[in-house]
Amino acid sequence: AQSVTQPDIHITVSEGASLELRCNYSYGATPYLFWYVQSPGQGLQLLLKYFSGDTLVQGIKGFEAEFKRSQSSFNLRKPSVHWSDAAEYFCAVAPMNYGGSQGNLIFGKGTKLSVKP
Amino acid sequence: DAGVIQSPRHEVTEMGQEVTLRCKPISGHNSLFWYRQTMMRGLELLIYFNNNVPIDDSGMPEDRFSAKMPNASFSTLKIQPSEPRDSAVYFCASRGGRTGGEQYFGPGTRLTVT
C-alpha cells in the first residue's frame, strides 16, 4: 500500500536559517509528489509538485524540493526561512495514473514548523 | 476564481443534532474530496466524487455520515446524529480532470459537537 512518512513532527528554526523538511514515500513506481502548506485556521495550499523531468522543482514562496528515486524521498527546502513560514507542511503522494477516477492523494502526518526570531 | 467555497466556517451543535456541511468546488473541476482533520488522526479522506459519482467512500467512518453531489457545483456532507467525537475541521477539495492535477482546498468548516 502507498504511504507517506514525515519523520519530524515539529521543527524549530531561527529566522534566516535554512530549512529542510523530510518526506519519504512507499510506492512501487514513481508517483506524483506534492507539498502543501497549512497556516493556522486555513486550508491547505499547494507549494509545489513533481510529476516527471527535472528532479529539482521550484515552488511558491521560495521553496524547492528534490525528488530522489533511490531514497524514495521528496524533501522540501528553503535557503532562508521567514517568520511567515511558520505553518504545518504536508507531503502527499498520488499514483502515476492519478486523474479521473484515480483521484486520491495520500498525505503524510505533517511537520509543524516554528520560527524563532 | 473564488476558489473552493465551504459553509459554514464554524458550526457548534449539540450531540444528536443533524449537521450539514456544504461545498462549492472550483468551476470546471470534476473531482471533489471531503477530508477530516483532527489532532489525533491527522488528515483523513472521507469520500471523493468524480463527475458527481462517489468513487471511494471507504473513509466514511460510520453510517451516520453521508455525502451527496447532486450536481457539478455543489456537495454536502451530513452527519446525523452528531457525536462529540465528530468534532474536527472538515475540508472540501476539488481537482480538474487533467492527469496530475493538484487538489485545491477550501478554508474548512470547524465543527464542534457538545
Side-chain angles (χ1 to χ4, degrees), chain A residues 97-104, chain B residues 28-34 47-57 68-69 71-72 75 93-98:
Chain A
N97 58 347
Y98 177 64
S101 62
Q102 299 295 321
N104 195 16
Chain B
H29 282 189
N30 62 352
S31 293
L32 184 140
F33 307 81
W34 282 101
I47 185 171
Y48 79 88
F49 296 85
N50 190 57
N51 293 325
N52 311 336
V53 176
I55 301 299
D56 183 357
D57 66 354
K68 294 182 180 180
M69 192 165 186
N71 57 62
S75 177
S94 70
R95 184 176 63 85
R98 65 181 178 87

Coordinates of all heavy atoms in Angstrom, one line a residue, chain A residues 97-104, chain B residues 28-34 47-57 68-69 71-72 75 93-98:
Chain A
N97 N -1.2 7.0 -12.4 CA -2.4 7.1 -13.2 C -3.4 8.1 -12.5 O -4.6 8.0 -12.7 CB -3.1 5.8 -13.4 CG -3.4 5.1 -12.1 OD1 -2.9 5.5 -11.0 ND2 -4.2 4.0 -12.1
Y98 N -2.8 9.0 -11.7 CA -3.6 9.9 -11.0 C -4.4 10.8 -12.0 O -3.8 11.4 -12.9 CB -2.7 10.8 -10.1 CG -3.3 11.9 -9.3 CD1 -4.2 11.7 -8.3 CD2 -2.9 13.2 -9.6 CE1 -4.8 12.7 -7.6 CE2 -3.5 14.3 -8.8 CZ -4.4 14.0 -7.8 OH -4.9 15.0 -7.1
G99 N -5.7 10.9 -11.8 CA -6.5 11.6 -12.7 C -7.8 10.8 -12.9 O -7.8 9.6 -12.7
G100 N -8.8 11.5 -13.3 CA -10.1 10.8 -13.5 C -10.5 10.1 -12.3 O -10.6 10.7 -11.2
S101 N -10.8 8.8 -12.4 CA -11.3 8.1 -11.2 C -10.2 7.8 -10.2 O -10.5 7.4 -9.1 CB -12.0 6.8 -11.6 OG -11.0 6.0 -12.3
Q102 N -9.0 7.9 -10.6 CA -7.9 7.7 -9.6 C -7.5 9.0 -9.0 O -6.5 9.6 -9.3 CB -6.7 7.1 -10.4 CG -7.0 5.7 -11.0 CD -7.4 4.7 -10.0 OE1 -6.8 4.6 -9.0 NE2 -8.4 3.9 -10.3
G103 N -8.3 9.5 -8.1 CA -8.1 10.9 -7.7 C -7.5 11.1 -6.3 O -7.3 12.2 -5.9
N104 N -7.2 9.9 -5.6 CA -6.9 10.1 -4.2 C -5.4 10.5 -4.0 O -4.5 10.1 -4.8 CB -7.1 8.8 -3.5 CG -7.1 8.9 -2.0 OD1 -7.2 10.0 -1.5 ND2 -7.0 7.8 -1.3
Chain B
G28 N -15.6 24.0 -13.2 CA -14.8 23.2 -14.2 C -14.1 22.0 -13.7 O -13.7 21.2 -14.4
H29 N -14.0 22.0 -12.4 CA -13.3 20.8 -11.7 C -14.3 19.7 -11.7 O -15.5 19.9 -11.4 CB -12.8 21.2 -10.3 CG -11.6 21.9 -10.3 ND1 -10.9 22.2 -9.1 CD2 -10.9 22.5 -11.3 CE1 -9.8 22.9 -9.4 NE2 -9.8 23.1 -10.7
N30 N -13.8 18.5 -11.9 CA -14.7 17.3 -12.0 C -14.5 16.3 -10.9 O -15.2 15.3 -10.8 CB -14.7 16.6 -13.3 CG -13.3 16.1 -13.6 OD1 -12.4 16.3 -12.9 ND2 -13.2 15.3 -14.7
S31 N -13.6 16.6 -10.0 CA -13.4 15.7 -8.8 C -13.6 16.5 -7.5 O -13.0 17.6 -7.5 CB -12.0 15.0 -8.8 OG -11.9 14.1 -9.9
L32 N -14.2 15.9 -6.5 CA -14.4 16.6 -5.3 C -14.1 15.6 -4.1 O -14.5 14.5 -4.2 CB -15.9 17.1 -5.2 CG -16.2 18.0 -3.9 CD1 -17.1 19.1 -4.3 CD2 -16.8 17.1 -2.8
F33 N -13.5 16.2 -3.1 CA -13.0 15.4 -2.0 C -13.5 16.0 -0.7 O -13.4 17.2 -0.5 CB -11.5 15.3 -2.0 CG -10.8 14.9 -3.3 CD1 -10.7 15.8 -4.3 CD2 -10.4 13.6 -3.5 CE1 -10.1 15.4 -5.5 CE2 -9.8 13.2 -4.7 CZ -9.7 14.1 -5.7
W34 N -13.8 15.1 0.3 CA -14.1 15.6 1.6 C -13.1 14.9 2.5 O -12.8 13.7 2.5 CB -15.5 15.1 2.1 CG -16.6 15.9 1.6 CD1 -17.5 15.7 0.5 CD2 -17.1 17.2 2.1 NE1 -18.4 16.7 0.4 CE2 -18.2 17.6 1.3 CE3 -16.6 18.0 3.1 CZ2 -18.8 18.8 1.5 CZ3 -17.3 19.2 3.3 CH2 -18.4 19.6 2.5
I47 N -14.4 10.7 1.6 CA -15.0 10.3 0.3 C -14.6 11.2 -0.8 O -14.2 12.3 -0.6 CB -16.6 10.4 0.5 CG1 -17.3 9.8 -0.7 CG2 -17.0 11.8 0.8 CD1 -18.8 9.6 -0.6
Y48 N -14.6 10.6 -2.0 CA -14.4 11.5 -3.2 C -15.3 11.1 -4.3 O -15.7 10.0 -4.5 CB -12.9 11.7 -3.6 CG -12.3 10.6 -4.4 CD1 -12.3 10.5 -5.8 CD2 -11.5 9.6 -3.7 CE1 -11.7 9.5 -6.5 CE2 -10.9 8.6 -4.4 CZ -11.0 8.6 -5.8 OH -10.3 7.6 -6.5
F49 N -15.6 12.1 -5.1 CA -16.5 12.0 -6.2 C -15.8 12.3 -7.5 O -14.9 13.2 -7.5 CB -17.7 13.0 -6.1 CG -18.6 12.8 -4.9 CD1 -18.3 13.4 -3.7 CD2 -19.8 12.2 -5.1 CE1 -19.2 13.2 -2.6 CE2 -20.7 12.0 -4.0 CZ -20.3 12.5 -2.8
N50 N -16.1 11.7 -8.6 CA -15.6 12.0 -9.9 C -16.8 12.1 -10.8 O -17.6 11.2 -10.9 CB -14.7 10.9 -10.4 CG -13.9 11.4 -11.7 OD1 -13.3 12.4 -11.6 ND2 -14.1 10.6 -12.7
N51 N -17.0 13.3 -11.4 CA -18.1 13.6 -12.3 C -19.4 13.3 -11.5 O -20.4 12.7 -12.0 CB -18.1 12.8 -13.6 CG -16.9 13.2 -14.5 OD1 -16.6 14.4 -14.5 ND2 -16.3 12.2 -15.1
N52 N -19.5 13.7 -10.3 CA -20.6 13.7 -9.4 C -20.9 12.3 -8.9 O -21.9 12.1 -8.1 CB -21.9 14.3 -10.1 CG -21.7 15.6 -10.7 OD1 -20.8 16.3 -10.3 ND2 -22.5 15.9 -11.7
V53 N -20.1 11.3 -9.2 CA -20.4 9.9 -8.8 C -19.4 9.6 -7.7 O -18.2 9.8 -7.8 CB -20.2 9.0 -10.0 CG1 -20.3 7.5 -9.5 CG2 -21.1 9.3 -11.1
P54 N -19.9 9.0 -6.5 CA -19.0 8.7 -5.5 C -18.1 7.5 -5.9 O -18.6 6.5 -6.4 CB -19.9 8.2 -4.3 CG -21.2 7.9 -5.0 CD -21.3 8.8 -6.2
I55 N -16.8 7.7 -5.8 CA -15.8 6.7 -6.3 C -15.3 5.8 -5.1 O -15.2 4.6 -5.2 CB -14.6 7.4 -7.0 CG1 -15.1 8.2 -8.2 CG2 -13.6 6.3 -7.4 CD1 -15.8 7.3 -9.2
D56 N -15.0 6.5 -4.0 CA -14.5 5.8 -2.9 C -15.0 6.4 -1.6 O -14.7 7.6 -1.3 CB -12.9 5.8 -2.9 CG -12.3 5.1 -1.8 OD1 -13.0 4.5 -0.9 OD2 -11.0 5.0 -1.7
D57 N -15.8 5.7 -0.9 CA -16.3 6.2 0.4 C -15.8 5.4 1.6 O -16.4 5.3 2.7 CB -17.8 6.2 0.4 CG -18.5 4.9 0.3 OD1 -17.7 3.9 0.1 OD2 -19.7 4.7 0.4
K68 N -23.4 13.8 -0.6 CA -24.0 13.8 -1.9 C -23.4 14.8 -2.8 O -22.8 15.8 -2.3 CB -25.5 14.1 -1.7 CG -26.3 13.1 -0.9 CD -27.8 13.4 -0.9 CE -28.6 12.4 -0.1 NZ -30.0 12.7 0.0
M69 N -23.5 14.6 -4.0 CA -23.1 15.6 -5.0 C -24.2 15.7 -6.1 O -24.0 15.0 -7.1 CB -21.7 15.3 -5.6 CG -21.1 16.5 -6.3 SD -19.4 16.3 -6.6 CE -19.0 17.9 -7.3
N71 N -25.0 17.9 -8.2 CA -24.5 18.5 -9.5 C -23.1 18.9 -9.4 O -22.5 18.8 -8.3 CB -25.4 19.7 -9.9 CG -25.4 20.8 -8.8 OD1 -24.4 21.3 -8.5 ND2 -26.6 21.0 -8.3
A72 N -22.5 19.4 -10.5 CA -21.1 19.6 -10.5 C -20.7 20.8 -9.7 O -19.5 21.0 -9.5 CB -20.7 19.8 -12.0
S75 N -21.8 20.1 -3.2 CA -21.8 18.9 -2.5 C -22.1 19.1 -1.0 O -21.9 20.2 -0.5 CB -20.4 18.2 -2.6 OG -20.3 17.0 -1.8
A93 N -12.1 19.7 -1.1 CA -11.1 20.0 -2.1 C -11.7 19.6 -3.5 O -12.5 18.7 -3.6 CB -9.8 19.3 -1.8
S94 N -11.2 20.3 -4.5 CA -11.6 19.9 -5.8 C -10.4 19.8 -6.8 O -9.3 20.4 -6.5 CB -12.7 20.9 -6.4 OG -12.1 22.2 -6.7
R95 N -10.6 19.1 -7.9 CA -9.5 18.9 -8.8 C -10.0 18.9 -10.2 O -11.1 18.4 -10.5 CB -8.8 17.6 -8.5 CG -7.5 17.3 -9.3 CD -6.9 16.0 -8.8 NE -7.8 14.9 -9.0 CZ -7.9 14.2 -10.1 NH1 -7.3 14.5 -11.2 NH2 -8.8 13.1 -10.1
G96 N -9.2 19.4 -11.1 CA -9.6 19.4 -12.5 C -9.3 18.0 -13.1 O -8.7 17.1 -12.5
G97 N -9.7 17.8 -14.4 CA -9.7 16.5 -14.9 C -8.3 16.0 -15.6 O -8.1 14.9 -15.8
R98 N -7.4 17.0 -15.8 CA -6.2 16.6 -16.4 C -5.4 15.7 -15.5 O -5.4 15.9 -14.3 CB -5.4 17.8 -16.9 CG -4.9 18.7 -15.7 CD -4.2 19.9 -16.2 NE -3.7 20.8 -15.2 CZ -2.6 20.6 -14.5 NH1 -1.8 19.6 -14.9 NH2 -2.2 21.4 -13.6

